[in-house]
Amino acid sequence: MNNQVWIHQSKERCAQRGIRPEDVPTFTQFYSDVQLSDKREEYEEILSVINFFIHKMLELMKGLPLLILITDEKGCVLEMAGDEAIKNIISQSGIKVGLVYDEVEAGTNSINLALDHREPFQLIGRDHYFHFLEHSACYSVPFQYTDVSNLLGTITIMTSIDQHNPFLLAMLCTVVDSIERELLLKKQNRRLHILNQVVIETTRNGIIITDKDGNITEYNQFAEYITDLKRQDVLHKSIAELKVSQYISEVLHKGIVYEDMELSIKQGNHGEKLVCLFDAFPILDENKSIMGAFAQFRDITERSKVEKRINHLAYHDDLTGLPNRRYFARHLDMLLDGSGGDQQPFALLFLDLDSFKKINDNLGHNNGDLLLKLVAERLTLCVHSSKHVVSRMGGDEFTILLKEIKSQTEAIEVAEEIIRAFDMPFVLDEYEFYITASIGIAYYPQDGRDAETLMKHADIAMYQAKDTGKNNYSIFRAAKSSIGIEQLTLESSIRKALQNNEFLLHYQPQIDVETGRIIGTEALIRWNHPTLGLIPPGKFIPIAEETGLIVPIGEWVLRTACKQNVEWIAKGIPPMKISVNLSTRQFLKRNLVETVHNILRETGHDPKYLELEITESMTMDVNFAVEVLGEFKKLGIPICIDDFGTGYSNLYYMKLFSIDRLKIDQSFIRDIMTDSIDADIVSTIIAMAYNLGIDVIAEGVETEEQLNYLKRLKCREVQGYYYYKPLPAEQIEQLLLSQ
């Protein structure tokens, strides 16, 4: 449910309570002085953080008449800051510090809406319930402790309506994000401080105390352990025997203070190094004269080991022990940044295991992990120089950075050695089997002078190796034209687009020509590429078809469309059909019906509100088409033939296939007013389809003349730009709600 719906519901509640919008409200709910004082004391740290960021924001927006209100989780105004003129105006309406906002008294307001729904809200002009606020714009954002989702209150900007700008809400959201991060950091720091106190109080520190001449007067048991010196051997003797004598001497003679100085101390008897934090400071008498020195050791050996372990894990793969993606990227960036344009040539190998998924599926993920460890060992053995870096990028992808190569043949030799290494079988659970790898090679500087370009080109080369039969390597070769490079880039990118959530759906409404109402939608895929922007389907669908990636993409489209339709129905929108196109590769998959059935069960979508669109060419194998479409009919799923009239089928087969609807191709509709043959074809299709009990929808309707002609032919359903172009889900939802 979106903000406008919630605002509308709030206004309805106010009207039902008999609140008159032309009145000025009388506020009665206020915190007492004691309650307000207690709450401000409780929120002292929170308010200090908020005030810091609000002050920065007001400085940034200097010159704009803004008033800032800070409320607690119950809607009580704890502070007001900003424009005095606005403050005076709203104070006359009874809005002041201590007021508890409540919809019963304050009507529809952004503070209560933000608290109730935990969403940012803006109320502009007539969005407010009371008329006296129609000249104002209000923006409210809730804030919380993000680690426990504990709602703390809201921050609101009030200004005049002529200053309304959506940027204000976006800016306020950004400020609140910063506030929440700072609050969480302070909360975590408090926990760390408490933990440190507990550790300090329960940990034995090594204590050394001397007199003003540097003779040791106190030496505790833990100091014995750290320094490997016995108390009786050093007590009342000079500090000269101690390894830290220089520091204590400077404390005694110069008054220098040492804090948290990290020392590594070799223990003769134990054979290991202790890591300690060393503190030393002078002991002063009542005249501020140095009368001795205090020194202590704090053993942080275990902490140091943990930190080293954490640093290792941060840059190494936990499964294989190889450097990970973060290490590789950092190392490559440092290599390129330090080149200064004079970097010696190097090579980047990108390796992907062939058919690794089969191992996971057949032998289980544990055996898949064991295989990755064995692969990592073989790759390491194939790289003989300590200057080279083997990394695991994730999944079954590895990279090999060959630095300071003398010629490009060195990279080829390594790739060939890896291919040969994979000729030996792998043994898992007493099973002996073979797996191969595909390798892409890119060279610096000829294939790229930055990390992103080198990685992309090595990735493209790897997929070229796969396309030429796998179990091979391929050297990146720049395409002869920009179109070729773009196609190679797209092919590589499509493989990652699904996992990176780069695809989205738009929906084109389908219209009842008699009523003008939306009776269904067609789901159409779009690709929002991170660097190339919005890519039309015509560019990437053929590539996806060619590579077989259209199958997982098609499943994503079907699942996403079903989820969206279920969401619309849950929001009170009357159920209607959503049409999803099937690709040829999908249609020919033997498990297609099972896949569709699983998606319907997973999403809770009613089969009768899902329409699957197929093309005429998919039905050329009549027996196969009858079998598949018959299974869909058993599930209760309607079938539509898309682009009808451009393929090979006839209306007899349409009846045989139990088709529910035909979609007349837009190529006929486009010229229906000027081409008599197209007009006759459309007229014949509509008449014969209705005689066979099959519905008809015309696509590509762009003009009123086309629409009127189709009406005369009794075509009852259309879609096209005359009504609506394909729209994002949010805009379709608005249309359906308004309908």
Side-chain angles (χ1 to χ4, degrees), residues 434-564:
Y434 294 85
I435 192 169
T436 59
S438 297
I439 304 170
I441 304 174
Y443 294 102
Y444 173 89
Q446 71 184 54
D447 296 330
R449 292 182 172 270
D450 60 85
E452 183 180 356
T453 303
L454 283 168
M455 284 292 295
K456 179 178 70 176
H457 288 166
D459 192 31
I460 290 172
M462 184 270 291
Y463 281 114
Q464 289 172 333
K466 282 188 180 292
D467 291 341
T468 55
K470 303 179 181 179
N471 191 28
N472 200 356
Y473 68 87
S474 177
I475 300 170
F476 175 75
R477 292 287 182 262
K480 294 181 179 179
S481 68
S482 60
I483 295 175
I485 290 179
E486 182 181 30
Q487 179 146 342
L488 287 173
T489 302
L490 286 178
E491 182 177 337
S492 176
S493 299
I494 289 173
R495 299 176 185 269
K496 298 170 184 174
L498 270 173
Q499 65 190 58
N500 294 337
N501 296 317
E502 294 171 13
F503 290 118
L504 65 151
L505 290 185
H506 284 185
Y507 302 86
Q508 186 169 36
Q510 297 175 336
I511 309 298
D512 182 321
V513 297
E514 293 300 323
T515 64
R517 293 177 65 83
I518 300 172
I519 56 171
T521 61
E522 180 182 3
L524 299 165
I525 191 169
R526 300 291 185 266
W527 181 11
N528 190 14
H529 192 282
T531 55
L532 300 176
L534 205 61
I535 301 175
K539 272 195 174 182
F540 69 87
I541 290 296
I543 299 173
E545 284 273 12
E546 182 181 339
T547 59
L549 293 170
I550 194 66
V551 174
I553 291 174
E555 290 180 13
W556 177 88
V557 171
L558 183 61
R559 181 175 288 104
T560 304
C562 287
K563 284 182 180 178
Q564 183 60 70

Side-chain angles (χ1 to χ4, degrees), residues 127-233:
D127 288 341
H128 295 91
Y129 186 75
F130 286 111
H131 294 337
F132 81 97
L133 290 172
E134 290 182 355
H135 296 292
S136 66
C138 297
Y139 313 86
S140 293
V141 179
F143 64 95
Q144 61 185 356
Y145 279 128
T146 54
D147 58 335
V148 292
S149 297
N150 182 19
L151 184 63
L152 295 173
T154 67
I155 303 176
T156 297
I157 294 177
M158 294 184 68
T159 187
S160 58
I161 193 170
D162 59 327
Q163 298 295 331
H164 163 59
N165 191 321
F167 166 74
L168 290 173
L169 183 62
M171 181 187 64
L172 186 56
C173 287
T174 302
V175 170
V176 168
D177 283 344
S178 300
I179 290 170
E180 289 179 337
R181 284 196 297 272
E182 183 66 19
L183 289 175
L184 181 60
L185 184 61
K186 284 182 174 290
K187 189 175 182 181
Q188 291 171 338
N189 284 342
R190 280 198 303 274
R191 291 173 180 166
L192 287 174
H193 179 70
I194 292 170
L195 180 61
N196 287 339
Q197 288 292 95
V198 171
V199 170
I200 289 170
E201 291 171 5
T202 57
T203 300
R204 294 170 300 162
N205 294 340
I207 304 297
I208 303 173
I209 301 176
T210 76
D211 61 17
K212 64 179 181 179
D213 297 320
N215 297 314
I216 298 170
T217 60
E218 185 55 62
Y219 203 85
N220 73 355
Q221 187 178 0
F222 199 60
E224 289 183 322
Y225 168 73
I226 290 177
T227 62
D228 227 15
L229 296 171
K230 295 298 182 183
R231 185 174 187 272
Q232 62 267 26
D233 295 334

Side-chain angles (χ1 to χ4, degrees), residues 544-706:
E545 284 273 12
E546 182 181 339
T547 59
L549 293 170
I550 194 66
V551 174
I553 291 174
E555 290 180 13
W556 177 88
V557 171
L558 183 61
R559 181 175 288 104
T560 304
C562 287
K563 284 182 180 178
Q564 183 60 70
N565 207 21
V566 169
E567 284 182 23
W568 283 336
I569 293 171
K571 291 178 179 179
I573 295 170
M576 61 180 61
K577 270 190 291 193
I578 192 163
S579 299
V580 177
N581 293 279
L582 292 179
S583 69
T584 301
R585 278 189 182 249
Q586 272 182 291
F587 190 74
L588 296 176
K589 294 281 286 186
R590 291 293 173 181
N591 65 342
L592 172 63
V593 176
E594 180 185 356
T595 299
V596 174
H597 191 202
N598 289 339
I599 290 174
L600 288 172
R601 190 164 48 203
E602 171 192 330
T603 59
H605 194 282
D606 191 330
K608 68 184 177 184
Y609 295 125
L610 170 65
E611 180 181 71
L612 296 177
E613 294 193 10
I614 63 173
T615 61
E616 293 177 85
S617 59
M618 296 181 195
T619 64
M620 291 182 66
D621 185 340
V622 176
N623 292 332
F624 178 77
V626 167
E627 178 186 348
V628 174
L629 297 178
E631 291 298 318
F632 282 134
K633 295 302 289 185
K634 290 179 185 178
L635 291 177
I637 300 173
I639 303 297
C640 175
I641 295 289
D642 192 14
D643 301 335
F644 188 78
T646 62
Y648 310 97
S649 299
N650 57 46
L651 286 169
Y652 168 74
Y653 284 138
M654 298 304 97
K655 190 66 176 176
L656 182 64
F657 297 145
S658 298
I659 297 300
D660 298 276
R661 187 158 68 159
L662 301 179
K663 180 177 283 188
I664 303 175
D665 186 65
Q666 58 185 334
S667 62
F668 298 118
I669 305 301
R670 182 174 55 247
D671 299 325
I672 197 172
M673 304 305 298
T674 57
D675 190 318
S676 61
I677 295 177
D678 283 351
D680 289 342
I681 291 173
V682 171
S683 175
T684 302
I685 291 174
I686 293 173
M688 294 185 69
Y690 285 162
N691 287 335
L692 291 171
I694 300 174
D695 289 332
V696 176
I697 183 170
E699 67 174 345
V701 177
E702 297 184 355
T703 67
E704 187 174 2
E705 290 77 11
Q706 292 170 343

Side-chain angles (χ1 to χ4, degrees), residues 40 43-55 70 79 179 182-183 186:
R40 289 175 63 84
Y43 272 47
E44 181 179 2
E45 181 181 78
I46 295 171
L47 290 173
S48 69
V49 171
I50 292 174
N51 286 330
F52 173 80
F53 285 99
I54 292 300
H55 176 73
I70 303 168
E79 286 196 7
I179 290 170
E182 183 66 19
L183 289 175
K186 284 182 174 290

Side-chain angles (χ1 to χ4, degrees), residues 358-370:
K358 292 180 181 177
I359 304 297
N360 274 336
D361 291 345
N362 295 317
L363 298 181
H365 288 280
N366 288 338
N367 281 317
D369 288 347
L370 180 56

